[in-house]
Amino acid sequence: MHQTEKKRAAALAALEYVEDGCLLGVGTGSTVNYFIDALPEIRHKIGALVASSEATRERLEKHGFEVSALAETGDLDLYVDGADEANKHFHLIKGGGGALTREKVLAGASRKFVCIIDDSKMVGTLGAFPLPVEVIPMARSFVSRRCIKFRGQPVWRDGFVTDNGNEIIDIYNLQITNPLEMEERLSRIPGVVTVGLFAHRGADVLIIADDKEVRTLKK
Ligand code: 5RP
């Protein structure tokens, strides 16, 4: 199967987690886009939708959905999103698309987080994918200097502005042997808004599409 077909297969497998009246958080990225495009088929089951980015909001609205604010819905039943990397402990790297802050909020607000990926995203040790960190603009160089202490190479995502008006630093060449600790330590650097490590609130379910099948891992 081509990678795009795998992404689509994983996304469609997540539809079965949407139950009647579901308050649903929707992630961001090319995998989730397949999920969004299939949502009209189960429109009758959806109680409310909350988007993790402006791009996702626009796509949902194109399908005729009304998008609610998290303040209106309160906690969500389900969050469906992709990831850049995942490990067998359900820890993730996210934020390749730059939506990590709202994604982390929705993951935190949801009773269940179903993560949809193709098999290329499953890794033994997180960190081959550069770790995104959202920072307020004035703290960019300060946070970058602090990141060097973690033996990574911080690179400013030149010209990229998040939906929150902030900037992204991608940290290359990290060996994240302790994701829980790394998430905590990086999150404590002043000026950091969100670290793209989802270890404390990782996925509850991983749906992984490979060449032959779609596998589901549950925590
Ligand atoms: C966006 C994300 C995405 O979930 C992640 O980048 C995966 O994207 P894709 O499904 O396009 O491979 O975290 O901020």
Side-chain angles (χ1 to χ4, degrees), residues 142-156:
F142 166 72
V143 173
S144 296
R145 289 196 300 278
R146 287 292 180 274
C147 288
I148 292 167
K149 295 188 173 165
F150 292 82
R151 299 175 194 279
Q153 282 85 52
V155 175
W156 175 46

Side-chain angles (χ1 to χ4, degrees), residues 17-25 44-49 76-79:
Y17 288 85
V18 180
E19 293 178 349
D20 282 342
C22 185
L23 303 180
L24 175 62
H44 59 283
K45 286 188 169 180
I46 296 168
L49 289 173
L76 303 172
D77 297 309
L78 177 66
Y79 182 54

Side-chain angles (χ1 to χ4, degrees), residues 7 28-31 81-84 94-100 103 121:
K7 288 184 177 196
T28 298
S30 57
T31 313
D81 200 356
D84 301 300
K94 291 187 46 52
L100 61 163
E103 292 174 341
K121 310 268 184 83

Side-chain angles (χ1 to χ4, degrees), residues 28-208:
T28 298
S30 57
T31 313
V32 166
N33 283 344
Y34 290 111
F35 179 75
I36 295 172
D37 294 348
L39 279 181
E41 292 166 27
I42 55 161
R43 193 181 290 272
H44 59 283
K45 286 188 169 180
I46 296 168
L49 289 173
V50 180
S52 63
S53 64
E54 294 308 314
T56 289
R57 168 196 297 283
E58 279 170 26
R59 201 172 184 103
L60 288 166
E61 287 178 345
K62 273 191 190 144
H63 285 295
F65 288 108
E66 188 185 319
V67 178
S68 303
L70 186 61
E72 295 164 336
T73 61
D75 281 357
L76 303 172
D77 297 309
L78 177 66
Y79 182 54
V80 176
D81 200 356
D84 301 300
E85 279 186 350
N87 69 16
K88 65 179 182 187
H89 304 292
F90 300 80
H91 302 149
L92 312 170
I93 286 184
K94 291 187 46 52
L100 61 163
T101 296
R102 296 187 190 189
E103 292 174 341
K104 207 174 238 194
V105 172
L106 294 194
S110 300
R111 274 183 278 285
K112 185 174 279 185
F113 176 6
V114 173
C115 182
I116 49 180
I117 54 172
D118 66 80
D119 57 345
S120 69
K121 310 268 184 83
M122 274 311 275
V123 299
T125 305
L126 298 171
F129 189 93
L131 178 65
V133 178
E134 180 166 347
V135 296
I136 65 167
M138 64 77 72
R140 188 178 87 217
S141 57
F142 166 72
V143 173
S144 296
R145 289 196 300 278
R146 287 292 180 274
C147 288
I148 292 167
K149 295 188 173 165
F150 292 82
R151 299 175 194 279
Q153 282 85 52
V155 175
W156 175 46
R157 204 180 289 184
D158 193 355
F160 185 90
V161 179
T162 70
D163 286 346
N164 314 307
N166 293 316
E167 299 183 6
I168 300 269
I169 297 165
D170 293 300
I171 313 179
Y172 285 75
N173 300 319
L174 286 175
Q175 284 270 329
I176 308 177
T177 50
N178 188 339
L180 292 161
E181 189 192 47
M182 175 84 73
E183 183 178 5
E184 277 170 30
R185 289 178 62 201
L186 285 171
S187 298
R188 280 202 296 267
I189 300 172
V192 167
V193 178
T194 302
V195 177
L197 257 176
F198 287 50
H200 286 275
R201 204 301 177 237
D204 299 305
V205 177
L206 279 173
I207 298 180
I208 308 159

